[in-house]
Amino acid sequence: LSDVTQVELYRSGAPAHLPAPIGGVLRLVTHLRPEPWRRFALVVGSFGQRHLQLASGGAQRLVRHALSVSYRGSAGDYTYYNDRETLYNGRDDEPNAVRTNNRSTLLRLRLVVEAPLWSGLVRAQVLAHVNDRGIPGPGAVSAHAAKSSQDEALGSLSFRRQARGVDVRATAHVMKGGR
């Protein structure tokens, strides 16, 4: 929370570049730290879950930057107790049934660069993610070839300046997505 510089609350409607649920949006705006920093995370869990994150940031002269790359995935195939919806007949139960095609892969990239310009601050940001996952099908029935893929990229360029006690901003966003 020490990096949060501003909290924006949008009740009901929100700017076009933010998701707009009915209740509104709470946006935490952060600043980039000038001191060099690095982060590494590796997590391994059940059902073949794994997560890897590499991030770094800092400043070169007047330009501050941050880069984060992460991967999250799971094998997804897991065992479960299948009673075949016959609650009172234990003879047809399958105690080690395997639910297949639950695999998932998510790749994310975030790059932010800030620099002073014309007594203000210009900020460029690129966010991208690729999500690929299997669709398991209903109950114990596997849908082996079914999958869902989604890729999105968001780029923004903003300029911010204090003028006579008023915060003046100009922002442009570009979004590209596919399924």
Side-chain angles (χ1 to χ4, degrees), residues 7-161:
V7 177
E8 297 176 358
L9 176 61
Y10 299 97
R11 297 188 305 180
S12 65
H17 67 281
L18 295 174
I22 294 172
V25 173
L26 176 67
R27 181 174 179 229
L28 303 176
V29 179
T30 60
H31 75 282
L32 297 177
R33 290 183 266 163
E35 65 274 357
W37 59 273
R38 311 264 182 282
R39 180 175 35 233
F40 171 78
L42 176 63
V43 178
V44 178
S46 58
F47 306 121
Q49 290 187 9
R50 56 220 174 257
H51 175 71
L52 172 66
Q53 182 183 25
L54 303 169
S56 89
Q60 300 292 325
R61 300 182 192 222
L62 297 176
V63 178
R64 295 181 182 185
H65 56 84
L67 172 67
S68 173
V69 178
S70 67
Y71 162 79
R72 183 179 300 244
S74 79
D77 296 345
Y78 61 90
T79 58
Y80 68 99
Y81 189 90
N82 184 4
D83 66 2
R84 299 185 190 265
E85 298 184 24
T86 55
L87 300 178
Y88 302 109
N89 182 1
R91 290 175 288 173
D92 67 346
D93 290 358
E94 190 178 359
N96 294 314
V98 177
R99 177 75 177 244
T100 59
N101 203 31
N102 275 341
R103 74 194 178 297
S104 69
T105 302
L106 174 63
L107 299 169
R108 288 189 180 184
L109 168 77
R110 179 176 185 243
L111 174 64
V112 182
V113 178
E114 285 181 348
L117 180 68
W118 298 317
S119 301
L121 183 69
V122 66
R123 180 179 179 124
Q125 181 169 258
V126 175
L127 304 167
H129 81 262
V130 176
N131 191 0
D132 184 35
R133 58 203 277 164
I135 300 172
V141 179
S142 295
H144 292 285
K147 72 176 198 170
S148 168
S149 295
Q150 179 182 15
D151 57 322
E152 292 181 339
L154 171 67
S156 69
L157 182 64
S158 64
F159 176 73
R160 185 174 177 187
R161 178 179 176 185

